């Protein structure tokens, strides 16, 4: 969706919901909020709708309140509060419906209140996550090495789907989280909720290396990830676990 149409859809959504007596507020999230970054042609619409009590499920179940409902080709409730809708041009709406009590379970960082008929200041304070998460660096590092080993052994056993999860999901997520924490802790690109977001902007070459690692067969991916750990992280943690890395690498290399 081009940016002009994107903003037009936002305005149509805002006007339609403001006119409804059972809707209290509309909040834009991420690029839709236009705070830290602006939407582009790849952006979806990510938002919260806050309704009167006992009206939230109606908005999860229906689509007539959304812009251009006749163009929606897929709509479903994904979580207890969240829904997705896809238009016939493949544009995605990802949204959650809360009453004020349910809003307590939400987590937000970059957001804008597009309208509110009540003062939500006290409601929003406890759900804002604008501070970066605190992690135990050594524990995260050690868990990453352990997951590489577990995944590798499962791959050798023939359990490649499970192995892929341990190496390309668990261990890789830990690696990326540690890169932010140890190599660029104050980066403006760092997301407080999702370590995968905008990693390429901070570490363009490393991101390319990680992408290549993730595309390798699972055991080769494990070897490559260990090499990246040695190159980028080993010198930044209290205990580099050099002996453990060497033993894990040798175990992976054996038939």
């Amino acid at each position: 969706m081009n940016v002009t149409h994107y903003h037009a859809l936002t305005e149509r959504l805002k006007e339609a919901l403001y006119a409804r007596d059972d809707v209290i507020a509309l909040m834009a999230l991420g690029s839709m909020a236009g705070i830290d970054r602006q939407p582009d042609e790849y952006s979806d619409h990510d938002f919260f709708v806050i309704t009167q009590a006992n009206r939230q499920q109606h908005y999860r179940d229906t689509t007539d309140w959304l812009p251009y409902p006749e163009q929606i080709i897929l709509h479903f409730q994904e979580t207890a509060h969240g829904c997705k809708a896809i238009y016939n041009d493949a544009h995605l709406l990802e949204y959650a419906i809360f009453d004020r009590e349910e809003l307590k379970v939400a987590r937000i960082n970059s957001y804008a209140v597009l309208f509110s008929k009540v003062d939500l200041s006290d409601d929003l304070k406890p759900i804002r996550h604008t501070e970066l998460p605190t992690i135990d660096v050594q524990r995260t590092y050690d868990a990453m090495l352990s997951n590489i080993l577990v995944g590798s052994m499962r791959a050798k056993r023939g359990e490649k789907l499970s192995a892929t999860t341990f190496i390309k999901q668990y261990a890789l997520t830990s690696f990326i989280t540690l890169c932010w924490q140890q190599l660029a802790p104050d980066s403006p690109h760092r997301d407080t909720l999702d370590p995968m977001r905008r990693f390429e902007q901070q570490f363009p070459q490393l991101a390319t290396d990680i992408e290549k690692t993730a595309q390798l067969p699972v055991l080769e991916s494990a070897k490559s990830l260990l090499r990246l750990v040695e190159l980028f992280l080993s010198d930044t943690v209290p205990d580099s676990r050099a002996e453990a890395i060497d033993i894990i690498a040798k175990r992976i290399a054996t038939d």
Side-chain angles (χ1 to χ4, degrees):
M1 175 175 284
N2 69 49
V3 174
T4 299
H5 290 161
Y6 184 99
H7 289 304
L9 192 150
T10 301
E11 286 303 309
R12 187 157 180 156
L13 176 69
K14 178 180 174 181
E15 292 170 4
L17 287 174
Y18 188 83
R20 291 177 173 251
D21 293 337
D22 55 357
V23 174
I24 294 173
L26 172 64
M27 296 172 55
L29 310 175
S31 60
M32 181 180 172
I35 303 298
D36 299 324
R37 56 196 181 280
Q38 298 299 317
D40 59 27
E41 62 181 305
Y42 307 108
S43 299
D44 57 22
H45 274 82
D46 193 356
F47 57 92
F48 288 170
V49 178
I50 298 91
T51 71
Q52 298 285 357
N54 301 317
R55 289 297 294 163
Q56 58 272 38
Q57 193 59 46
H58 167 77
Y59 285 89
R60 298 172 193 141
D61 292 339
T62 62
T63 60
D64 61 315
W65 55 275
L66 290 168
Y68 319 111
E70 72 283 356
Q71 297 179 26
I72 293 173
I73 60 167
L74 176 63
H75 167 262
F76 65 101
Q77 183 171 338
E78 184 176 33
T79 65
H81 309 99
C83 298
K84 288 184 178 178
I86 300 176
Y87 286 98
N88 58 11
D89 63 353
H91 185 65
L92 173 67
L93 308 183
E94 187 170 9
Y95 57 93
I97 316 293
F98 303 99
D99 65 10
R100 292 181 73 176
E101 181 64 25
E102 290 176 329
L103 188 60
K104 294 176 182 178
V105 307
R107 299 175 68 210
I108 56 175
N109 49 18
S110 180
Y111 73 95
V113 178
L114 299 188
F115 74 79
S116 181
K117 300 173 184 177
V118 299
D119 184 359
L120 291 176
S121 300
D122 291 339
D123 301 73
L124 298 181
K125 285 178 183 177
I127 70 171
R128 294 180 64 207
H129 288 259
T130 56
E131 299 296 324
L132 292 167
T134 300
I135 66 169
D136 184 314
V137 170
Q138 189 70 57
R139 183 178 296 176
T140 303
Y141 183 84
D142 292 348
M144 172 185 62
L145 297 180
S146 173
N147 284 330
I148 292 172
L149 176 61
V150 171
S152 299
M153 295 307 98
R154 293 191 180 182
K156 286 176 177 291
R157 188 185 292 134
E159 300 175 21
K160 293 187 178 180
L161 293 179
S162 177
T164 296
T165 299
F166 272 84
I167 293 167
K168 299 185 181 184
Q169 181 178 338
Y170 301 156
L172 188 56
T173 298
S174 293
F175 177 78
I176 288 173
T177 300
L178 286 166
C179 284
W180 283 118
Q181 180 67 35
Q182 301 301 93
L183 305 178
D186 300 318
S187 169
H189 302 305
R190 192 176 178 188
D191 191 281
T192 59
L193 296 177
D194 183 356
M196 300 296 181
R197 297 300 306 271
R198 296 178 294 283
F199 189 86
E200 295 85 352
Q201 295 179 36
Q202 181 64 40
F203 304 102
Q205 182 56 55
L206 179 54
T208 298
D209 294 338
I210 292 172
E211 183 181 11
K212 291 178 181 177
T213 293
Q215 291 175 351
L216 292 170
V218 66
L219 283 174
E220 292 302 314
S221 182
K223 295 176 187 177
S224 179
L225 185 55
L226 273 180
R227 286 194 292 270
L228 293 177
V229 169
E230 288 188 290
L231 284 171
F232 292 96
L233 293 178
S234 291
D235 292 339
T236 75
V237 295
D239 188 334
S240 67
R241 308 298 197 208
E243 182 181 11
I245 290 175
D246 184 57
I247 289 173
I248 292 169
K250 289 178 180 177
R251 184 67 181 93
I252 294 171
T254 61
D255 293 333

